[in-house]
Amino acid sequence: MAEQLDVDLVALNVGSNHVLNGIGEAAIDFVGHEGGLADAAPGWVGSSQLALGQLAARWEARHNHHKLQVGGLGSHVAEAMVGYSTNEDDSTRALRSVREQG
């Protein structure tokens, strides 16, 4: 027989919100870093300026990739919460129905 699964739906909701809020905070930090690189670019010349531009492009690509991954994680946690809650409600109704018939 399967062990009992105890899920705190409020904690799942708070957790998914924290993940999604973290995405917003990371985006703000990234914009600050991006602005710092853009401000620094005129002070660099030649291959150094090119390297700085390449660094900014890599950071942007990684940041976008991380946003997708973390956003997906937050969404999966929220979906798990809804799925668990729905399953619990369905199970409660089924048990109540069996009890009423008996």
Side-chain angles (χ1 to χ4, degrees), residues 13-95:
N13 187 40
V14 169
S16 68
N17 287 339
H18 281 300
V19 170
L20 296 173
N21 289 340
I23 294 169
E25 292 170 10
I28 291 169
D29 288 345
F30 177 77
V31 168
H33 289 111
E34 189 177 44
L37 284 176
D39 292 344
W44 296 70
V45 294
S47 62
S48 296
Q49 190 176 43
L50 178 62
L52 190 62
Q54 290 172 345
L55 175 65
R58 280 196 308 272
W59 281 4
E60 182 178 11
R62 287 185 54 89
H63 175 69
N64 288 335
H65 178 71
H66 288 153
K67 280 193 319 188
L68 287 174
Q69 288 182 317
V70 174
L73 177 62
S75 296
H76 290 312
V77 171
E79 288 171 13
M81 178 193 66
V82 170
Y84 181 84
S85 179
T86 300
N87 184 52
E88 285 296 294
D89 291 345
D90 291 347
S91 296
T92 300
R93 277 193 294 281
L95 289 172

